[in-house]
Amino acid sequence: PSKSIPKGTISAITVTSLLYFVQVWLVGSVVSHKTLMENKLILACLAWPSRFVIKAGIITASIGAAMQCLAGAPQLLAAIAVDDAIPMLRFVRPSERDDPKTAIFVTYIIASMATLVGNLDHITPIITMFFLLMYGGINLCCFLLGWVNAPGFRPTFRFYHKNVSLFGSIVCLLLAFTISWFMAVISIGLFIINYIYIRKMRQRMDLALGELDSYEGMGSMNRVNNWGDVGDSLRYKITMMVLMSVQGTENFHAKNWRPQLLTIIDTDDTGIPYNTELLALAAQLKK
C-alpha cells in the first residue's frame, strides 16, 4: 500500500486533470466566450448522438456525489464530535455502538437549507472557498510540520518536499481571491472566528479540569482530548532559532543587555504562586 496508493493517486489525478484540460481547450476552441458565460448546458448542445447523454450524465454524477456525501459527511461530523475538536458539536456525538443518526439528521438539514435557496450558483462560491481553504490549510500544515522537523511527521513518499506544500497552499489562496475576493474574505473571517472559539473553549476546559483535579479523588479524571497544535511546534522552533542566534554573541552591546533572573517560588496545585511580591520584585529588576 505504501507504494501503490501514492502511485495510483498521482496517476488518477494526472489522468483526470488531463481530461479536464483537453475538454476545456476543445470547448473553448469552438464556442464563444459569451456563450460559455450564459449557456451552462452548452455541452448538451455539442453532445453526440443526443443531448440527453449529457443530461443523463449530470443526473448520474449528481446522485453518485450525493450518496457519497451522505455516507461520508455524517461520519466525518460524528468523528469531529467524538474527538471533541469543536465543542459545539457534542450533541451529534454518537454512542459507542450506535450509528451517527444525529449527525445524519444535521447533515440533511444543512444540505436541505442549501438547496432551498433555489439556485446553486448562490452557494457555489462559498462552498468553493471552504474547499480551497481546507486544501490550503492542509498544505500549510504539511509545510510547517516539515519546516519544524516535527518528530511525528515523517512522510515516506520519496518525492515529497515541504516547498511543494507551501506552493500548493499559496496557489489555493490565490485561486480563492481570483474566484471571488469578497467570498474569500468572508471564508477567512469565519475560519478565524472558528479558530478563536476553539482556542477559548479549550483554555476554559483545561482550566476547569485543572481545578477539578486539585480536589481529592479527581486525579484520575479523563482529560480533554489534545491532538497537538502545529502552532506549538512553530513557536518552539522560532524560540530555539532566536536563542541559538543570541548564544555565543561576542559583540553584544551593553545597551541591549537585560538581567536574566531565575525566580523560585512555591505554588499551589493549580500553579498559582503563593508569594506574588517576589515575582513583582523580579519584574521590576528586569525593567
Side-chain angles (χ1 to χ4, degrees):
S2 60
K3 295 182 179 180
S4 300
I5 292 178
K7 186 183 297 183
T9 302
I10 294 177
S11 300
I13 294 174
T14 303
V15 172
T16 53
S17 300
L18 182 62
L19 291 175
Y20 287 144
F21 281 122
V22 170
Q23 180 182 1
V24 171
W25 177 72
L26 291 176
V27 175
S29 300
V30 297
V31 181
S32 65
H33 180 266
K34 182 179 179 180
T35 304
L36 289 174
M37 295 296 294
E38 296 177 354
N39 191 351
K40 299 177 182 179
L41 291 177
I42 186 61
L43 289 179
C45 300
L46 303 175
W48 183 88
S50 173
R51 61 188 309 167
F52 294 102
V53 174
I54 298 298
K55 294 183 178 181
I58 293 175
I59 295 174
T60 304
S62 300
I63 294 176
M67 295 298 293
Q68 181 181 3
C69 294
L70 184 61
Q75 297 291 339
L76 178 61
L77 190 64
I80 295 175
V82 171
D83 293 341
D84 204 17
I86 302 179
M88 69 172 64
L89 295 179
R90 290 175 180 170
F91 71 97
V92 302
R93 180 187 301 173
S95 59
E96 296 182 357
R97 297 183 179 181
D98 192 14
D99 294 330
K101 298 178 181 178
T102 307
I104 295 175
F105 180 74
V106 172
T107 304
Y108 167 75
I109 293 297
I110 295 175
S112 299
M113 291 176 60
T115 54
L116 289 176
V117 176
N119 190 347
L120 294 180
D121 290 338
H122 296 330
I123 64 172
T124 299
I126 191 70
I127 298 298
T128 303
M129 298 305 148
F130 288 162
F131 274 102
L132 287 175
L133 289 180
M134 179 187 67
Y135 296 141
I138 293 174
N139 279 285
L140 182 60
C141 289
C142 290
F143 167 74
L144 293 176
L145 290 173
W147 183 66
V148 302
N149 294 323
F153 184 73
R154 292 291 185 268
T156 57
F157 185 52
R158 61 178 179 175
F159 297 111
Y160 170 79
H161 196 276
K162 60 179 181 294
N163 291 334
V164 178
S165 299
L166 178 61
F167 176 76
S169 178
I170 295 175
V171 169
C172 289
L173 188 62
L174 291 177
L175 284 175
F177 279 93
T178 301
I179 294 172
S180 175
W181 68 268
F182 180 72
M183 287 297 178
V185 171
I186 292 179
S187 301
I188 294 175
L190 292 175
F191 167 79
I192 294 175
I193 292 173
N194 188 36
Y195 177 78
I196 294 174
Y197 165 77
I198 293 174
R199 294 282 294 183
K200 293 293 184 182
M201 292 300 297
R202 183 69 58 182
Q203 292 173 359
R204 291 181 182 179
M205 288 186 290
D206 289 341
L207 181 60
L209 289 176
E211 294 176 354
L212 289 175
D213 288 346
S214 62
Y215 293 98
E216 185 178 0
M218 293 293 180
S220 60
M221 184 176 180
N222 293 330
R223 306 291 296 179
V224 178
N225 292 331
N226 186 3
W227 300 104
D229 187 359
V230 68
D232 296 335
S233 299
L234 184 61
R235 287 187 290 269
Y236 178 81
K237 176 76 172 182
I238 295 175
T239 303
M240 290 298 297
M241 291 175 61
V242 173
L243 292 176
M244 293 298 294
S245 64
V246 174
Q247 183 180 4
T249 303
E250 299 178 356
N251 299 324
F252 197 78
H253 200 276
K255 69 178 182 180
N256 297 323
W257 180 83
R258 297 290 186 277
Q260 304 298 322
L261 303 178
L262 177 61
T263 308
I264 301 176
I265 57 175
D266 294 329
T267 63
D268 57 13
D269 295 335
T270 60
I272 299 177
Y274 291 118
N275 189 0
T276 58
E277 290 79 7
L278 183 58
L279 289 179
L281 176 61
Q284 290 292 331
L285 293 175
K286 294 189 67 176
K287 288 185 177 179

